[in-house]
Structure formats: structure tokens, C-alpha cells
Amino acid sequence: MSHRTGRRIAAAVAGAALAAALAIPATAAVATPTCTTTPRIDGSFIQAALVDGWTSTQLTSEFSTLTNACITSQVLQWTADTKASTTVYPSGLSGYAQSTSTDVVSRVLTAADSAGVSEYLGLQTNDDWWNTYANNTTWLNGEATKANALADDLTTKYGTHSSFAGWYLPFEVDNWNFTSTSSWSAMATFYTTIANHLHALTPGKPVIISPFFNTAGGQTSSQWTTMWSSILASAPIDAIALQDGIGAGHATNAQLPTWFAATASAISSGRPATKLWADSETFNPDFTPMSIGQLVSDLNAVAPYVSKTLSFSYDHYQSPLVVPAVYDTTYRNYLSTGTVETSAPTTPTGLSATAGGVSSITLNWTASTDNIGVAGYRLYRGGSLVKVIQGAVTTFTDAGLTPSTAYSYTLAAFDAAGNLSAQSSTASATTSAAPAPNPLISTGKSYTASVAADPSYPDTGGTELTNGVTASTSYADAAWQGRNTGNPYSFTIDLGATKTITQVSTSWLQTKSLYIFLPSSIQVSVSTTGSTYTPLVTMPAPNVSDADQRYTYAAYSLSGTGRYVRFTVTPASSAWSFVDEASVRGL
């Protein structure tokens, strides 16, 4: 199982959707920060897709948000995808097509010029990195050549921008997949090839990398020191922005000093000129904004070891363009006062629950209040936290429930500092009974998949998804098939003849500690010919606890006709999704 960083998940988080969907709560006025409070964030990563979706006015507003929060640098995470042969700007590279609707590089640099923000340009991403790592020097050499060509093109087009401050190499090294001296040597060569080229191309502009560690296993902190001492002895990297791993669930706050001290020791031994920066994660494991209290605690934990702090990512998880404005307001309040405020919101009142059919219950309540602003509500079902609701809302529909089942709920309000109210009184409701099921018509039927399963968790072929064999909650169970991608994919069942379809279901695994997530949605479509498909139903991600579990997406009382039934899966992130069964009922 690959232990991947939360960095890869950020593009899939529903942050951008929050901006359109949430009512932003009113917030108290806050004094302009003097930018003397420490520790604080100095910079933020940003991804091209977010920039591409903003108007010029919004982009200008975003840079004002950064400077008002004393953030003076930004890293555009990548400018090209060498696997897809795409760029986020109109490049002069042969064989590449632009994947964005705007020239993201030009827009970011122009806005940074005006705002006085230093901009670091990321080179390429490539999903094959997560499978190849440092075990294929031919692949690495090819990527180094592509990186240098990309840098040449970017410098030719944008090198005169005053904000252009340096370079970022997106490929992330970890403590799980680089355990041999040969892999260290390969990475040292890779870094040296690119860094020497960049230093000659743009003298004085630093080259930054951002490795990560996962304390669940892999190398120890002492072995980590040995690895980086070896790499830095020959690789002229100017800054290591070490991911703290808190948001990704890779570390606890108490473990940060050990790992940052280990990295500082490696720099001292291998290349004292290299700077140690922090790359502090500003999201929670469920990809909601991290509380400012937790963020400041993490900043304090690494402050003795670092000279600068980037974030992943203020632009994505604290920006008023993406999440409730109270996160930015509360952080700026910290900068103004030097402390994180501690006043909890009032307890929500008037909670009611009303069943909405066989699989949903709608909740309503009276809003809480807070001295700075309510950031959202934590929803508990049967005593377990199942949903963090962002924004100043007073209604929520809990979907994906089981028919004929009684559910009880409580609610607690939270603010952006991380202060939590007491839980509300309990409200209960019971879902309606499901209609009598029609016969299974998919048992033993063949299917095709648009993306092959990973060889480590394979699709054994034939009828594995329709054979009725269900898996346990262990990802190692042979009944599971796994795919490691953030892109949508599908599997299509051939019923053998045209049928009337009345119910569909499909079962998936959640093991968050291993980055196996339930899909964010599954759309079911039908076709009589196998060429043109008509959407039948879309099943959203359920609200569930963080516990390891097997969950079945189901839809009832459908009315569709077709021989082919296609399940289109939208993963929750660029990580793993595991499926064991798909079924169709009808006549």
C-alpha cells in the first residue's frame, strides 16, 4: 500500500464548491496585522485549477487576502503534467496542449507583481511518480530532461516578471519508498541535473523541494537523517520545505520536533547552505479547514528549526474565496493580538429531524452565535461524528441512510479558532421502508472497466464484481479490487438483454489511515446499445464516521431501461478506492 501525502488530495477537496455553496458568516472587525507576531505563515501553495476558475477581480482579491495575512510568497504547485502532456499556460513545448482556459502562469505572476508577493514556479507533475519513484533511473532521467526544457520555456516567456522568485520541484520524496542507497543516489542525480540547470538559467533564484514523512512506518527519523545527508552531499537544493503531515494524518504535533530536528541535522551534515523551511498543512484529514488554534500549535512546534513557513494551503483552506471568511478573520486576529481567541460559540438550539424517504433525514436548527463568527457545525449521529458542516447554515440533509432505521442526532457549533460549543439536545427520526425488491438481474454477468485495477489489488476478471462475494473491512481481502487515481472511471455491466431497472447498489471500502476513501459520488447510467447512455441516478458520498468500514451505495424506486448499466465513479481524492460488488435489480 502506497502511503501518499495529503498534498495529492488537495485538488479534489470540495473547497472550490464551498465558495459557491456557503453563506459566509458575518465576522467581527479585526485590526490590520503588523506582521510582527511569530510564528506565522510566510507563504502558500496554490494549484492551477483554483486560479483558472477565478476572475481577474477574484485573483486580485486573493492576493490582497494574502498580504493582509502577512503572507509574502506563493508557490504555483505545477505548471505542466508530463504524463498527460499538458501545461497551464500556452507553452512552446512540442507535443503539449494547454489544459486550462486561461494563462495561469501569466495571471499569477502579474497579480503577484502588483501585490509585491514573491512567486515560485513549480515545474511538472506526473502521476507515474507514485508508482515509479526512484526505482527507475531511465524514467527519472527523462523527467529531468523534461523539467529543464519546461524551465527554459517558462523563463523565456515569464522571466522578466519582478515577482518571479524561484523554482519548486513537485516530486515528493518520503520515508517509505526511498530506503536504499541506490534510490538516494538516483534522487541526488535527479536533483543535481535539474538544480544545476536552474541555477545557470536563473542565477540567484532558489530551488525548493517539499518531502514528507509518515510516522505510521517506513524509515525512522534517524534513518531519515542519513538519507538526506547522503542526498544533500551532492544535490544543490536551496530549501527543503518539510511537510508537517498533520493535516494528512501522517504525524501528531508531538512528533514534529523529532522529524524537523532530524532534517536540520541532515542539512548540517550534508549541505549547510540549504535552508530548512516548514510546509505546514492547513487542512484536516477530512479536507476541511484546520482550526487556527491547531495551526498555530503546529507552527510553534516547528518554529525552533525553520527559517520560513510555507502552507498547504492558505489559498485553498483559509481564503474567503473558498471557505467561510471567519478562518481568515480569526488568523488575522491572531496576528494582531499574538494569541488565538478562546471564546466558544453558543450551543445550537431547536434541532429537529424529519425523514425524507427511504434513505434521508433533514435536520433544522436555530443558529449559534460567536464573538468572531461561527465557522460551522459538527453533526453527531448515534453519538459518532459523521459530518463537519461548513458555514453559517441552519439546515442539512443526511443522505445515504438505511431504510426502516431509526437515527438520533446532536449538533455542536465550532468557530475558526477551534472552540466548540456544547452539544444540542437530541432529535430523532426513522427512515421509510424500502419498496419490495425485484429480483437480482446482474448476478454472474460480465462487465468491462475503463481503468484497470492495480495489480496489487487486482480485478480477477470474469464476474468478480457481480459474483455476490463480499469482502471484509480488510483491504487485503481478495474480494476487493483497488484503483489509485483521482480521475473518474467506470465499470459497465452487460445484463445480456434489455431489462427494466428498479434498484442499484455497489459496495466500497473506507480505511482512511491508508488513504482508501469512499467515492465522492457514483452515477449510474443505462443504455440499450452500449453506445449512448442515459443518466439514471447519482449517489453522493455518505456521511460516515472515520472508522474502517464497508459501505453500500444504494438507490431505490428507479425507472430505467437498458441492457448495459454503467457505474461512473468519482473518487474523493487522488488516492485509493476499493470496490467489491455491484448489483442491479429489476425485471
Side-chain angles (χ1 to χ4, degrees):
M1 177 64 65
S2 170
H3 293 258
R4 297 171 66 171
T5 176
R7 173 70 36 86
R8 301 291 297 162
I9 293 173
V13 72
L18 286 174
L22 293 178
I24 304 301
T27 55
V30 62
T32 301
T34 60
C35 299
T36 58
T37 295
T38 58
R40 67 175 183 271
I41 294 169
D42 303 293
S44 175
F45 279 84
I46 193 167
Q47 291 176 336
L50 196 60
V51 176
D52 197 41
W54 285 337
T55 65
S56 295
T57 299
Q58 288 174 313
L59 189 58
T60 299
S61 173
E62 181 65 11
F63 274 88
S64 294
T65 292
L66 295 182
T67 56
N68 286 339
C70 304
I71 294 173
T72 56
S73 61
Q74 186 185 71
V75 182
L76 179 58
Q77 191 171 357
W78 60 71
T79 53
D81 183 331
T82 50
K83 182 174 183 178
S85 296
T86 58
T87 60
V88 301
Y89 70 101
S91 79
L93 299 172
S94 176
Y96 285 74
Q98 186 174 339
S99 61
T100 53
S101 60
T102 65
D103 183 344
V104 168
V105 178
S106 175
R107 294 181 66 214
V108 164
L109 286 169
T110 300
D113 291 344
S114 298
V117 170
S118 298
E119 193 74 31
Y120 298 87
L121 297 182
L123 293 178
Q124 78 265 31
T125 187
N126 186 315
D127 265 353
D128 284 342
W129 166 255
W130 299 105
N131 300 313
T132 302
Y133 291 96
N135 300 315
N136 187 329
T137 55
T138 300
W139 186 88
L140 282 173
N141 291 340
E143 288 301 307
T145 299
K146 294 174 184 177
N148 289 344
L150 175 61
D152 290 344
D153 192 50
L154 289 167
T155 302
T156 298
K157 291 182 177 295
Y158 308 108
T160 60
H161 280 271
S162 60
S163 61
F164 178 28
W167 302 96
Y168 171 67
L169 305 184
F171 295 151
E172 300 168 5
V173 173
D174 62 28
N175 65 318
W176 283 79
N177 297 284
F178 297 84
T179 57
S180 67
T181 55
S182 61
S183 67
W184 305 347
S185 177
M187 287 310 304
T189 299
F190 176 73
Y191 286 147
T192 299
T193 300
I194 300 174
N196 281 345
H197 183 82
L198 296 178
H199 288 148
L201 180 67
T202 54
K205 296 191 187 301
V207 178
I208 308 164
I209 62 173
S210 187
F212 71 96
F213 56 90
N214 185 337
T215 60
Q219 291 178 328
T220 65
S221 58
S222 177
Q223 293 167 327
W224 179 259
T225 298
T226 302
M227 177 180 78
W228 282 106
S229 296
S230 175
I231 293 174
L232 291 174
S234 59
I237 296 299
D238 298 298
I240 293 179
L242 181 61
Q243 298 177 41
D244 68 8
I246 300 297
H250 288 169
T252 65
N253 179 273
Q255 293 170 323
L256 295 182
T258 296
W259 285 86
F260 276 78
T263 311
S265 179
I267 290 172
S268 178
S269 173
R271 190 177 186 273
T274 298
K275 305 295 185 184
L276 178 56
W277 298 353
D279 181 1
S280 297
E281 293 173 347
T282 66
F283 57 91
N284 296 316
D286 63 352
F287 316 124
T288 55
M290 179 179 285
S291 73
I292 303 305
Q294 176 69 61
L295 173 58
V296 170
S297 178
D298 296 341
L299 296 178
N300 275 302
V302 304
Y305 309 96
V306 303
S307 59
K308 182 181 178 75
T309 299
L310 302 178
S311 67
F312 196 90
S313 154
Y314 206 91
D315 283 300
H316 289 262
Y317 294 100
Q318 282 71 40
S319 166
L321 289 180
V322 183
V323 300
V326 68
Y327 286 98
D328 174 63
T329 303
T330 301
Y331 179 70
R332 289 188 291 111
N333 181 74
Y334 157 71
L335 294 177
S336 297
T337 65
T339 59
V340 180
E341 64 93 9
T342 57
S343 298
T346 60
T347 303
T349 59
L351 180 65
S352 65
T354 305
V358 300
S359 59
S360 68
I361 291 174
T362 297
L363 304 165
N364 291 279
W365 62 91
T366 300
S368 298
T369 59
D370 183 73
N371 63 317
I372 291 183
V374 173
Y377 297 87
R378 294 165 68 90
L379 178 66
Y380 301 85
R381 186 176 64 219
S384 296
L385 177 65
V386 295
K387 181 68 176 180
V388 177
I389 305 168
Q390 294 288 333
V393 297
T394 56
T395 186
F396 179 78
T397 297
D398 187 22
L401 303 175
T402 302
S404 302
T405 304
Y407 293 95
S408 61
Y409 298 89
T410 58
L411 201 66
F414 63 91
D415 62 19
N419 302 306
L420 188 67
S421 77
Q423 292 187 31
S424 70
S425 57
T426 301
S428 301
T430 300
T431 52
S432 304
N438 291 119
L440 274 170
I441 56 176
S442 56
T443 302
K445 301 300 183 181
S446 63
Y447 59 89
T448 57
S450 64
V451 174
D454 189 278
S456 298
Y457 314 100
D459 181 350
T460 57
T463 61
E464 186 183 32
L465 291 182
T466 59
N467 63 8
V469 178
T470 59
S472 67
T473 55
S474 169
Y475 74 91
D477 192 314
W480 292 114
Q481 52 180 255
R483 291 168 176 82
N484 194 343
T485 180
N487 298 318
Y489 61 89
S490 64
F491 47 90
T492 304
I493 299 173
D494 181 358
L495 299 176
T498 298
K499 303 284 186 178
T500 298
I501 298 159
T502 59
Q503 182 179 329
V504 295
S505 63
T506 178
S507 300
W508 298 77
L509 178 66
Q510 173 180 282
T511 310
K512 287 190 171 182
S513 62
L514 297 177
Y515 275 48
I516 303 172
F517 299 110
L518 297 173
S520 63
S521 68
I522 299 174
Q523 183 189 70
V524 180
S525 304
V526 295
S527 173
T528 57
T529 63
S531 57
T532 302
Y533 283 81
T534 301
L536 184 60
V537 66
T538 297
M539 300 176 287
N543 305 305
V544 296
S545 72
D546 288 338
D548 295 353
Q549 57 190 283
R550 180 179 182 274
Y551 178 82
T552 299
Y553 294 71
Y556 308 89
S557 302
L558 304 176
S559 180
T561 301
R563 170 176 172 171
Y564 302 92
V565 182
R566 174 167 292 172
F567 293 74
T568 300
V569 181
T570 301
S573 70
S574 292
W576 290 96
S577 52
F578 274 51
V579 60
D580 71 345
E581 281 295 301
S583 64
V584 181
R585 291 181 179 272
L587 301 170

